[in-house]
Amino acid sequence: MPDSLPPHSTDTPPPPDGPSHERLQHPGARPRYISEQLFGEYTEVEIQHGESTYRLRLTSLGKLILTK
C-alpha cells in the first residue's frame, strides 16, 4: 500500500471544505465530525494530542483504527 500521508510539514493544513463539524440539536452536545471531511483524499491522518501524535487510518473495509 503506498504511503497515504503527504510529506510532514510544520504548517497547519487547510480546513476541509464545508463545515468541520455538525452540532447536535440539544444544548451541550459534543461536535460530530464526518469522516470524509477529516480524511479528504487520504486514508490516513495524524492527530496531535499534547506531545503525542496519533494515526487514524481508514481500512479497506471502512473501519477506523487509531494508533499511537
Side-chain angles (χ1 to χ4, degrees):
M1 175 191 312
D3 189 4
S4 59
L5 293 175
H8 180 70
S9 170
T10 57
D11 295 335
T12 303
D17 292 336
S20 61
H21 66 272
E22 292 179 4
R23 179 64 70 179
L24 299 175
Q25 296 301 315
H26 53 90
R30 62 185 170 260
R32 177 177 293 183
Y33 296 90
I34 298 170
S35 63
E36 288 84 0
Q37 291 175 320
L38 292 174
F39 287 101
E41 63 184 83
Y42 302 102
T43 58
E44 197 171 283
V45 296
E46 291 183 351
I47 301 170
Q48 186 70 39
H49 180 66
E51 297 295 317
S52 300
T53 300
Y54 292 81
R55 293 171 44 190
L56 182 63
R57 183 169 64 96
L58 179 63
T59 70
S60 60
L61 297 176
K63 307 290 184 181
L64 297 175
I65 298 175
L66 180 66
T67 55
K68 186 169 182 184

